[in-house]
Amino acid sequence: MAGLPGLFAGTANAAWELNLQAPATDLARRVYDLHSLLLWVIVVIFVGVFAVVAYSLVFHRKSKGHKAADFHDNTTVEIAWTVIPTLILIAIAFPATSTLVQMRDTSQPDMTIKVTGYQWKWGYEYVTGDAAGVKYMSVLSTPRDQIENKVPKGEHYLLEVDRPLVVPVGKKVRLLLTSSDVIHNWSVPAFAVKTDAVPGFLRDTWFRAEKEGTYRGQCSELCGKDHGFMPVVVEVVSAEKYAAWTADQKKAMAAVADDPAKVWKLDELVARGEKVYTANCAACHQPNGQGLPPAFPALDGSKIAKGPKAAHLDMVIKGKPGTAMAAFGAQLSDTDIAAVVAYERNAWNNKLGEVIQPAEVKALRGK
Amino acid sequence: MQASQHAAHAGHHEDDSHGHGPTGLMRWITTTNHKDIGSMYLWFSFAMFLVGGAMSLIIRTELLSPGLQYLSPEFYNQMLTLHALIMVFGAIMPAFVGFANWMIPMMIGAPDMAFARMNNWSFWLLPPAAILLTASLFVPGGAAGTGWTLYPPLSIQMGIGMDMAIFAVHILGMSSIMGSINIITTILNMRTPGMTLMKMPLFCWTWLVTAFLLIASMPILAGAVTMLLTDRHFGTSFFNAAGGGDPVLFQHIFWFFGHPEVYIIALPAFGVVSHVIPAFSRKHLFGYTSMVYAIAAIGLISFFVWAHHMYVTGIPLTGQLYFMYATMLIAIPTGVKVFNWVTTMWRGSLTFETPMLFALGFLVLFTIGGLTGLVLAMTAVDIQLQDTYYVVAHFHYVMVAGALFSAYAGLYYWLPKWTGHMYNEGLGKLHFWLSMIFFNIAFFPQHFLGLAGMPRRIPDYAQQFADFNMISSIGSFGFGFSQLLVLVVVFQAMKGGAKAEARPWDGARGLEWTVPSPAPHHTFEEPPPFDPAEAHG
Amino acid sequence: MSHPAPASRYFVPDPSHWPLVGSFALLLLATGAVLTMNSIANGGFVLMGGFAVMAVMLFGWFGRVIGESESGSYNLQVDRSFRWAMAWFIFSEVMFFAAFFGALFYVRVLSVPDLASPEQAGLWEGFKGQWPTAGPAAKDLFTPMHAWGIPAINTLLLLSSGVTLTWAHWGLVANKRQQLITGLALTILLGLVFIGLQAYEYAEAYSHLNLKMTTGVYGSTFFMLTGFHGFHVTLGATMLIVILLRTLKGHFTAERHFAFEAVAWYWHFVDVVWLGLFVVVYWL
Ligand code: HEA
Ligand code: HEA
Ligand code: CUA
Ligand SMILES: [Cu+2]
């Protein structure tokens, strides 16, 4: 029975996939082969053992008049079936070890990207290479309506993001993983990469994609409510496309950089804040501001959102340790924080009519 | 009351209609009789199995098709956590403690457990723990939604339900430790003269080692959740890097308990099977001595392999290699057991009553689960499979088809001894075949899902996983509802049916078959003579 | 109370309601603790109720056991059972402490050096990782506990209490009741002084050294290890007091006194744990 995946490999279509995903790196191919080897080993053992059982079941039954033999020890066979499995295990330990050693060799990367897990999105920051300095968030882009079965599901349902990780083909990419809240896990099966993002620690892993294309994975460590909704998408592109993408990113970064001294008007601020809110806060506090009490408090009418400005800003900048409320000061710019807080204080029933300037955020951050 | 008690002890009684002592509900609450307590364990465990099973059906209903249908993601996580905690600590472990209570004194010729009153407490600690766990669903914020592994920092974020789960674990731990001390003491100190350790029934051997594993590992779990509690409420930093701790530290402590725990579940199952297979093969168990050594080896090695659950946490390469090799070692003693069972059947005189069918089902499916465990032990492959449904398939093969099937084998095997009546063989066989078929429909496809990359612990999944999930859900419903047959079988056997002889199975060996069926309330008040013909091995 | 069993027969107690009372006590304790920790009203009352029921249960249950013991119900086989049970119980306690010692080992040898290693520099700039530490994000300074003050005195106290207890045991075996009573009283006294000094040390830590439960992982391991140990000393001292009272009532004979031995084993176990603590928590 355990042999099925091996027999059907290759003939399977997408929906009836029976084996590991098609490997897209040298390492993934080695893992694939190692798994195939193991599969054959266990199938052979299984068939061998249960052939004996089947023989007994058929020929040694009482209903056929078989009389029980009287033996209950035999040192020779007992030694044999201790030694033979040991030898089999030693044999498979060799490829298993060498594959693992290769897997852990993160030395001499062509570029390094820092990956940060957030509840429930991924942050990417290019640390070395041409794109050094580029930094953005990658969030699930499947519409809510598809998840709630209100409209038909798209082709890449739950495996699509607004901004994938973009890397050049054929380059050794080293990832530095960490997390801002709970443990997440960055995983792309086609690369044979799966590493925990542990808050407070950096862990590294690597891959070298062989073919251009889009590769998909998912967060693989239970990280709370939306654990099932934080996919990983990697776009592997040619060197030229990568250069173009890098240039675009740099230009875009320069363009959106806010003038910290700008004085914002209320409607501008609220419009900007709504975007920030949808991207960062709505997962917990919900688009309508009602939250999901008691785990995630409502902001509509909340004491903090209607109370003094400073306390509200403080909550957003520093978060609340020990709860899911993260310190957004580390993720958002002064302008974004000003905007989102202004939005919260003016949206729903919180019509306070207050304006908050980035400078106020800056002043509070120091404290 | 005391006076009549004295009389009751004076001789063997054919039945348990004592005129003294509490009756009705109070009899069960205050009982110090190992058979009463064994029955309570078994009923409790079955009730918990239904509750945990109902939760798994809720999970499978949500997973029937892609999209969020019935549950919110938070609630899904809570169901997942409680399903696992209730199944492991509420259903499977108490089931085997129930067997131990009923059978160990009868197998070794003891009048009762060594500490009959503490035995009662071990049982009555379970309901408070069950209350805490189930009630946590109804407090603000709901139950813990962390998975049964309770990893911080996620578990630090949880609400009141998490604290309730922590205290439930503490209480369960006390129960297990007291129960284990009782079992070890009974086995070491109360065997009838002449029954040396190497002539002792294998079920007692598996429990001896299991009890040791429990005493050594439950306090570790208690320590781990205590640290969680102080991190949550008293500002300690065990699992917080900012204070110099490490979230991964919890995983080390948890799995130092958690891996022995899976053998705590498996070993008594091995024990039951080691009685059933010889009985229906009408042969001695093959390789008794090597069985004993294998049990001891499994118990010992299980303390040195824990980090095979942590291959992706970033432990150093040397650590990964060590834990890979160590984990592979366990296949050797387990293989010895499998081969011994196979050889016991070889040239036997086999019949296929329900206990034997379940033992065979166990043998086939446990081996599949064990072999996939071996695949998972290979670090490089596990990194592909960790946290996917392949793991879910692996452990349901070893725990449901392994432990649960073996518990059923034991139930059908000893039911005549307990009730005095033969069960309905036809229904028993039906129960087996339905379970066998639906179990595989439910869990075999999960291997494919895992290989293709479907993560576990998600309430919604990408569309390419839809077909196998639907099959798996249908299988689960079939499997779940088939289990209700057990109730029918057991009630029938309690009410009536063909009278069971003292030794209803002609191939069965052991002291428990020398007393009448149903076993009188008090057996072996004087140590019985030990007849080597009843010895194992 | 109970019928004396013939010497050849294993004692099986009558039905008892104490286990259920004990379970109820634990349910109350757990509920009370959950409520208190989450600052929900009346949690304290439930908690106190739990302790009260627990105390009633302990008195009732142990009273019963002592009665059975004194009435001669326990034969030598039962006595052996008690020995096995106490030994395994102490083993389970050892494993409980092992979890915390393991945590200390892990942070000192693995996680703290790792946090200070160059690989983590992107996260915790400038963290030195010298033990004792309150972690890379710590701001407040604190003074660690020194080994050669109160802790060293405490070591002496506990070690001598082991000696006095053994001396008391000699008295018991040799039927010298006065030596037994004096030895027990001295042991209890040493235990109580130990607890007093420990309490003083904690007060110092909080008020002068700025060393608290919240002082990073040093504070966490320090207070959890010494705290659980102190709790065990308290339990041990309580049990010794019970033994002393029973001695005064004339319990125990030179041949049969397992309760005394069990408590002595427990006391020695607590002693050994302290030595471990002294070396790895205070000294190294
Ligand atoms: C009853 C419970 C039980 C048992 C007995 C086992 C048995 C084994 N398990 Fe399993 N395991 C679990 C319960 C169990 N497991 C659970 C609950 C989890 C998941 C926990 C969680 O994350 O929630 C898990 C997870 C788990 C993992 C981690 C997966 C992951 O999260 O990535 C690994 C990895 O090594 C593993 C390995 C093994 C091995 C090697 C055995 C071995 O003991 C198997 C040995 C048996 C055989 C090998 C078959 C018979 C032998 C022969 C026929 C001889 C010849 C064989 C050879 C020479 C190969 N298990
Ligand atoms: C011994 C333990 C044990 C047992 C017996 C089971 C039994 C079952 N488990 Fe369990 N399961 C675990 C231990 C166990 N499980 C663990 C440890 C996890 C990991 C959790 C984690 O990730 O943290 C898990 C996770 C788990 C998942 C993964 C969820 C996820 O990762 O998202 C799934 C999904 O299919 C599942 C399904 C089932 C099913 C269908 C059964 C069936 O076998 C159950 C069949 C029984 C019944 C259905 C009972 C019959 C009842 C009725 C028919 C009606 C009810 C009526 C009344 C209440 C009156 N389990
Ligand atoms: Cu992030 Cu799961
Ligand atoms: Cu394991």
Side-chain angles (χ1 to χ4, degrees):
Chain A
M1 250 189 280
L4 282 177
L7 298 177
F8 283 82
T11 60
N13 64 36
W16 294 93
E17 194 61 72
L18 297 172
N19 205 337
L20 291 169
Q21 292 182 16
T25 64
D26 175 48
L27 182 67
R29 195 167 309 109
R30 287 194 63 174
V31 173
Y32 189 99
D33 293 342
L34 179 59
H35 174 259
S36 306
L37 171 74
L38 289 171
L39 190 58
W40 282 116
V41 170
I42 65 175
V43 167
V44 168
I45 293 175
F46 184 85
V47 171
V49 172
F50 285 94
V52 178
V53 174
Y55 187 89
S56 299
L57 295 191
V58 174
F59 294 105
H60 300 153
R61 41 172 82 210
K62 193 179 175 198
S63 56
K64 293 210 170 154
H66 195 273
K67 291 267 170 325
D70 186 27
F71 60 89
H72 50 78
D73 267 313
N74 183 328
T75 316
T76 323
V77 299
E78 288 177 61
I79 290 179
W81 66 45
T82 315
V83 172
I84 296 172
T86 313
L87 296 179
I88 298 179
L89 291 175
I90 294 176
I92 52 184
F94 283 98
T97 304
S98 67
T99 311
L100 181 61
V101 170
Q102 182 187 358
M103 190 175 255
R104 290 303 296 265
D105 177 14
T106 52
S107 60
Q108 295 174 327
D110 297 314
M111 58 189 287
T112 300
I113 302 172
K114 183 175 169 195
V115 180
T116 309
Y118 298 93
Q119 278 172 320
W120 292 278
K121 56 188 179 252
W122 292 103
Y124 296 122
E125 182 180 350
Y126 290 71
V127 182
T128 66
D130 298 338
V134 173
K135 187 176 162 182
Y136 54 91
M137 292 285 182
S138 172
V139 190
L140 175 77
S141 61
T142 303
R144 205 67 218 165
D145 283 349
Q146 285 189 19
I147 296 173
E148 284 163 5
N149 307 307
K150 292 183 186 137
V151 299
K153 302 189 185 343
E155 188 192 353
H156 297 299
Y157 176 69
L158 291 189
L159 297 178
E160 49 200 350
V161 294
D162 57 349
R163 303 184 64 187
L165 180 69
V166 179
V167 297
V169 68
K171 289 276 189 289
K172 181 166 184 176
V173 180
R174 172 169 176 257
L175 300 179
L176 272 178
L177 291 132
T178 187
S179 162
S180 87
D181 32 53
V182 303
I183 304 176
H184 300 268
N185 181 304
W186 197 89
S187 148
V188 176
F191 299 165
V193 167
K194 183 180 282 163
T195 303
D196 276 353
V198 183
F201 288 85
L202 287 169
R203 296 283 145 85
D204 65 350
T205 185
W206 68 278
F207 63 88
R208 188 198 298 271
E210 289 169 344
K211 266 207 327 252
E212 290 174 48
T214 309
Y215 300 93
R216 297 168 201 275
Q218 278 174 274
C219 175
S220 299
E221 180 66 62
L222 180 59
C223 52
K225 160 169 105 62
D226 283 349
H227 161 61
F229 305 91
M230 57 181 291
V232 173
V233 180
V234 182
E235 190 106 11
V236 177
V237 297
S238 65
E240 301 80 59
K241 277 201 199 135
Y242 182 68
W245 178 82
T246 310
D248 275 357
Q249 293 305 307
K250 296 228 148 143
K251 234 184 278 155
M253 267 170 33
V256 297
D258 295 300
D259 172 7
K262 171 170 175 189
V263 177
W264 291 71
K265 286 213 275 307
L266 183 61
D267 49 345
E268 274 181 317
L269 205 56
V270 168
R272 166 91 174 249
E274 183 165 8
K275 285 205 193 97
V276 179
Y277 183 85
T278 312
N280 294 292
C281 323
C284 296
H285 298 291
Q286 302 299 300
N288 59 8
Q290 294 305 322
L292 296 165
F296 307 109
L299 299 181
D300 187 4
S302 109
K303 279 208 189 79
I304 293 191
K306 296 192 84 163
K309 226 192 303 191
H312 190 170
L313 281 167
D314 209 55
M315 171 65 90
V316 180
I317 296 172
K318 303 210 178 96
K320 180 141 178 192
T323 73
M325 181 63 201
F328 283 93
Q331 294 179 44
L332 302 176
S333 69
D334 292 349
T335 313
D336 282 343
I337 291 178
V340 76
V341 172
Y343 169 72
E344 285 173 358
R345 296 174 82 77
N346 289 293
W348 318 303
N349 301 313
N350 301 349
K351 307 254 179 275
L352 300 181
E354 272 176 358
V355 188
I356 297 170
Q357 298 300 343
E360 294 174 60
V361 178
K362 197 177 164 92
L364 262 176
R365 265 183 202 271
K367 287 195 190 139
Chain B
M1 178 177 131
Q2 264 84 26
S4 60
Q5 178 78 17
H6 188 81
H9 277 260
H12 286 267
H13 282 242
E14 277 302 289
D15 65 13
D16 56 346
S17 55
H18 298 302
H20 68 281
T23 50
L25 186 62
M26 276 318 268
R27 159 174 169 209
W28 293 100
I29 289 179
T30 62
T31 181
T32 49
N33 181 287
H34 70 101
K35 302 187 182 81
D36 286 352
I37 295 174
S39 302
M40 289 197 295
Y41 263 110
L42 290 167
W43 280 113
F44 174 84
S45 124
F46 195 74
M48 285 292 118
F49 175 65
L50 291 186
V51 175
M55 288 172 174
S56 79
L57 293 190
I58 293 176
I59 290 175
R60 286 304 337 167
T61 311
E62 178 58 52
L63 294 178
L64 190 65
S65 56
L68 288 179
Q69 272 77 230
Y70 312 100
L71 312 183
S72 68
E74 305 91 285
F75 190 70
Y76 181 92
N77 292 345
Q78 297 172 19
M79 283 289 110
L80 168 73
T81 310
L82 287 188
H83 159 67
L85 288 174
I86 287 179
M87 282 299 198
V88 170
F89 292 103
I92 299 294
M93 287 170 63
F96 285 109
V97 183
F99 282 108
N101 262 296
W102 252 103
M103 302 319 300
I104 288 178
M106 295 216 299
M107 284 177 169
I108 63 173
D112 204 301
M113 298 294 280
F115 302 103
R117 198 164 31 203
M118 184 169 88
N119 198 22
N120 173 305
W121 202 21
S122 304
F123 171 76
W124 280 104
L125 281 174
L126 299 179
I131 292 173
L132 283 171
L133 276 182
T134 36
S136 73
L137 270 176
F138 304 101
V139 299
T146 55
W148 78 294
T149 49
L150 311 176
Y151 284 1
L154 186 59
S155 51
I156 309 284
Q157 287 184 354
M158 292 291 145
I160 303 176
M162 185 72 216
D163 298 321
M164 298 173 75
I166 288 176
F167 286 116
V169 167
H170 278 130
I171 294 177
L172 289 164
M174 289 178 60
S175 159
S176 292
I177 290 170
M178 285 193 286
S180 303
I181 290 178
N182 221 332
I183 288 172
I184 294 197
T185 307
T186 308
I187 293 178
L188 290 181
N189 193 30
M190 295 179 70
R191 275 168 292 125
T192 196
M195 184 185 277
T196 60
L197 280 178
M198 290 312 271
K199 288 202 178 104
M200 183 167 79
L202 260 186
F203 182 68
C204 302
W205 258 113
T206 54
W207 252 113
L208 186 64
V209 175
T210 303
F212 168 75
L213 295 185
L214 276 166
I215 297 180
S217 70
M218 286 311 276
I220 300 275
L221 176 66
V225 295
T226 305
M227 290 182 224
L228 263 191
L229 193 72
T230 57
D231 266 19
R232 283 169 58 78
H233 293 292
F234 303 106
T236 56
S237 315
F238 289 105
F239 310 129
N240 178 0
D246 185 349
V248 178
L249 168 59
F250 178 86
Q251 303 185 18
H252 282 288
I253 312 177
F254 180 88
W255 289 114
F256 189 83
F257 145 81
H259 189 80
E261 167 67 25
V262 308
Y263 294 98
I264 288 165
I265 290 175
L267 285 179
F270 294 169
V272 171
V273 169
S274 303
H275 285 236
V276 172
I277 289 186
F280 296 91
S281 306
R282 291 165 185 77
K283 259 181 74 197
H284 275 281
L285 179 69
F286 186 84
Y288 175 91
T289 320
S290 58
M291 281 301 215
V292 171
Y293 287 130
I295 295 165
I298 293 173
L300 196 71
I301 303 175
S302 72
F303 281 105
F304 302 101
V305 301
W306 72 89
H308 65 216
H309 297 273
M310 303 167 55
Y311 286 147
V312 300
T313 54
I315 55 172
L317 173 64
T318 42
Q320 288 178 323
L321 287 172
Y322 161 74
F323 283 106
M324 174 167 85
Y325 302 144
T327 305
M328 289 160 76
L329 272 186
I330 290 206
I332 297 166
T334 317
V336 167
K337 300 192 72 72
V338 170
F339 299 137
N340 281 339
W341 290 320
V342 170
T343 317
T344 303
M345 289 190 280
W346 182 253
R347 296 180 51 210
S349 176
L350 303 175
T351 52
F352 301 98
E353 287 88 345
T354 314
M356 183 62 165
L357 288 179
F358 271 107
L360 284 169
F362 160 90
L363 191 61
V364 178
L365 301 180
F366 177 84
T367 305
I368 296 182
L371 292 170
T372 56
L374 193 80
V375 173
L376 291 171
M378 303 299 144
T379 314
V381 176
D382 181 67
I383 283 174
Q384 281 289 47
L385 298 175
Q386 149 94 44
D387 247 293
T388 67
Y389 264 78
Y390 192 90
V391 178
V392 177
H394 157 67
F395 67 72
H396 283 93
Y397 266 78
V398 279
M399 297 212 292
V400 181
L404 182 65
F405 274 29
S406 129
Y408 282 142
L411 177 74
Y412 285 103
Y413 183 56
W414 284 306
L415 202 56
K417 178 59 60 193
W418 298 343
T419 62
H421 301 291
M422 297 309 285
Y423 58 85
N424 180 333
E425 193 64 62
L427 274 185
K429 287 191 169 140
L430 180 68
H431 173 218
F432 169 74
W433 284 110
L434 288 176
S435 299
M436 185 74 183
I437 293 167
F438 280 121
F439 174 82
N440 283 293
I441 299 179
F443 291 102
F444 204 79
Q446 294 186 357
H447 292 112
F448 305 137
L449 287 172
L451 285 166
M454 174 170 164
R456 59 193 276 210
R457 298 171 161 176
I458 55 175
D460 188 9
Y461 47 83
Q463 280 180 299
Q464 67 264 36
F465 305 126
D467 301 315
F468 281 133
N469 265 302
M470 167 136 356
I471 296 174
S472 173
S473 288
I474 293 172
S476 303
F477 296 134
F479 182 75
F481 285 101
S482 316
Q483 306 314 309
L484 297 176
L485 275 176
V486 189
L487 274 181
V488 180
V489 173
V490 171
F491 276 125
Q492 276 187 358
M494 283 169 66
K495 283 247 183 61
K499 195 91 190 68
E501 291 161 31
R503 193 188 303 266
W505 317 113
D506 54 342
R509 236 183 285 270
L511 284 177
E512 76 260 37
W513 305 112
T514 61
V515 300
S517 304
H521 201 57
H522 296 285
T523 36
F524 302 132
E525 289 185 17
E526 305 285 353
F530 179 60
D531 175 1
E534 298 290 350
H536 282 242
Chain C
M1 274 197 99
S2 198
H3 54 92
S8 70
R9 190 171 289 162
Y10 198 88
F11 173 78
V12 179
D14 296 337
S16 165
H17 59 277
W18 290 121
L20 192 77
V21 177
S23 296
F24 181 63
L26 281 175
L27 184 60
L28 282 183
L29 281 173
T31 314
V34 168
L35 295 176
T36 320
M37 283 174 188
N38 292 286
S39 330
I40 298 173
N42 296 330
F45 288 108
V46 182
L47 198 59
M48 297 314 288
F51 279 117
V53 179
M54 190 62 148
V56 171
M57 184 280 270
L58 289 173
F59 268 101
W61 191 330
F62 279 110
R64 186 75 205 242
V65 172
I66 292 170
E68 285 163 1
S69 166
E70 290 300 309
S71 71
S73 302
Y74 297 162
N75 62 17
L76 280 175
Q77 197 188 3
V78 177
D79 193 72
R80 266 199 311 279
S81 284
F82 281 134
R83 280 162 205 279
W84 277 120
M86 192 65 197
W88 285 107
F89 169 65
I90 289 179
F91 176 63
S92 79
E93 291 267 42
V94 169
M95 293 310 287
F96 183 73
F97 275 99
F100 291 90
F101 276 109
L104 177 64
F105 171 84
Y106 182 90
V107 292
R108 289 190 61 167
V109 177
L110 296 162
S111 75
V112 168
D114 190 17
L115 283 168
S117 70
E119 285 90 69
Q120 309 295 337
L123 289 176
W124 307 109
E125 218 66 66
F127 179 56
K128 293 283 186 312
Q130 257 140 4
W131 191 260
T133 176
K139 294 197 191 69
D140 296 350
L141 291 175
F142 68 94
T143 321
M145 198 57 78
H146 286 295
W148 301 109
I150 292 178
I153 300 174
N154 267 343
T155 310
L156 281 180
L157 288 177
L158 274 194
L159 285 179
S160 15
S161 78
V163 174
T164 53
L165 190 58
T166 308
W167 186 66
H169 193 198
W170 290 346
L172 176 52
V173 181
N175 243 329
K176 295 185 190 152
R177 301 296 280 195
Q178 196 48 49
Q179 176 176 338
L180 165 62
I181 292 169
T182 321
L184 271 175
L186 276 175
T187 314
I188 294 168
L189 187 72
L190 289 167
L192 293 180
V193 175
F194 173 94
I195 298 169
L197 284 178
Q198 182 94 359
Y200 174 76
E201 183 190 87
Y202 277 12
E204 277 295 288
Y206 266 78
S207 56
H208 293 127
L209 305 180
N210 195 25
L211 171 58
K212 306 183 173 142
M213 279 274 263
T214 49
T215 308
V217 77
Y218 176 71
S220 311
T221 48
F222 176 82
F223 282 104
M224 291 291 269
L225 273 164
T226 57
F228 270 116
H229 177 264
F231 173 67
H232 280 78
V233 177
T234 316
L235 274 184
T238 315
M239 299 195 302
L240 281 171
I241 293 174
V242 173
I243 295 295
L244 178 60
L245 293 178
R246 286 185 63 188
T247 309
L248 293 175
K249 276 182 82 180
H251 291 185
F252 308 128
T253 65
E255 294 79 35
R256 297 293 299 276
H257 49 258
F258 175 67
F260 178 95
E261 285 177 81
V263 175
W265 291 356
Y266 193 79
W267 193 255
H268 290 311
F269 147 72
V270 173
D271 221 2
V272 172
V273 171
W274 174 261
L275 291 183
L277 278 181
F278 182 70
V279 175
V280 300
V281 176
Y282 291 97
W283 187 359
L284 293 181

